[in-house]
Amino acid sequence: MFVEHLPDDRGQAHTLEAFTAALLLVAGLIFATQATAVTPLSASTSNQHVENQAAIAAQDVLTTAGESGNLTAALLYYDGEGFVNASEDGSYVGVPPEQHPLHDPLAEAFGDRQIAFDIEVSYPEDGGNRTGDTTMVDMGTPSDNAATASVRVALYGDDRFGADGDRDSLAENGTESYFAPPVDGDRPEVLYTVVEVRITAWQM
C-alpha cells in the first residue's frame, strides 16, 4: 500500500518558514532599536525639557533681579578694570562671589542643576552706530542646545559704580572708567545708556 508523505513535508516547510520569519522579525526589531538609540548628546524630548528649564531659569533670574534692583546693582559692580573681585580678564568664571548682587539668584537657579551659563552685556557705541559688549560671567562655549534670555536695563547719570561706598557717578567718571560709554556725551547726567543683559545657559 502506497502512502503519500507530501502533507507532512508541507507541514515541515510551513514550520520552517514561520521560524525563519520570526527570526527575521526579531533581527529587524533589534536593528531598529540600535539604530534609533538616543545618546546623551542627541536631540530628544529629554534635551528639549532641559533646554526649556534652562530658558525659564535664566528668564526668572533676569526678571526677579530686575524687579529687586539687583540687576542694576550688578551692572554697577564695576571698578574701572573689570567687575569687582572677578578674574584677571574682568569677568567671573562661575557664580560670582557672595557679596555680588547676583550671587544668590544665580546660585539658586543654576548652582545645583549642573547648568553652565554665560552672561554678556551689550551696549551702544559711537552714538548708537555700533554695538559693544563685555562679559560678566564666562563658563565656556555653549552647547548646541543652549537656551538664552535677555532684558534691557536703563542706566542713569546719577547711578554710582564701584565696590565701596564712595562710588563715582556715571555722569562724572563713566566715560573714563566704566565699560559702557554714554549714549549722549553732551548730556550724560540724564539717561546714561541702555544695555542688554543676556544669559546663555546649557547642560554641562
Side-chain angles (χ1 to χ4, degrees):
M1 183 177 183
F2 176 76
V3 179
E4 185 178 5
H5 295 284
L6 184 58
D8 291 339
D9 293 339
R10 286 181 178 178
Q12 292 176 0
H14 286 313
T15 302
L16 183 60
E17 288 176 0
F19 182 72
T20 303
L23 281 178
L24 290 174
L25 180 61
V26 172
L29 289 174
I30 293 175
F31 176 78
T33 303
Q34 291 177 343
T36 60
V38 177
T39 66
L41 297 180
S42 64
S44 66
T45 303
S46 176
N47 284 339
Q48 185 62 50
H49 176 71
V50 171
E51 182 178 345
N52 291 341
Q53 290 296 102
I56 293 171
Q59 190 61 61
D60 285 348
V61 168
L62 293 176
T63 300
T64 57
E67 293 174 351
S68 67
N70 285 333
L71 188 55
T72 298
L75 291 167
L76 298 171
Y77 205 59
Y78 191 86
D79 63 6
E81 297 180 357
F83 290 96
V84 178
N85 295 327
S87 59
E88 292 183 359
D89 66 356
S91 62
Y92 305 102
V93 294
V95 175
E98 290 187 3
Q99 64 271 26
H100 192 276
L102 291 183
H103 169 81
D104 288 348
L106 288 173
E108 182 178 349
F110 304 122
D112 296 330
R113 299 186 182 181
Q114 293 186 331
I115 295 179
F117 61 94
D118 292 341
I119 302 180
E120 295 284 339
V121 184
S122 301
Y123 49 85
E125 291 184 320
D126 190 22
N129 295 321
R130 295 184 295 116
T131 299
D133 59 78
T134 191
T135 302
M136 183 183 295
V137 177
D138 184 2
M139 292 186 68
T141 303
S143 70
D144 294 337
N145 296 319
T148 61
S150 62
V151 68
R152 292 184 178 180
V153 180
L155 300 175
Y156 298 90
D158 58 356
D159 288 334
R160 296 186 174 274
F161 69 98
D164 51 34
D166 186 21
R167 298 182 174 189
D168 292 331
S169 72
L170 290 173
E172 294 170 346
N173 205 24
T175 303
E176 296 180 0
S177 302
Y178 195 62
F179 65 85
V183 290
D184 185 353
D186 296 329
R187 300 184 62 194
E189 71 279 0
V190 190
L191 176 66
Y192 183 81
T193 192
V194 177
V195 304
E196 181 182 65
V197 182
R198 182 175 60 259
I199 296 180
T200 303
W202 67 97
Q203 185 75 35
M204 289 189 290

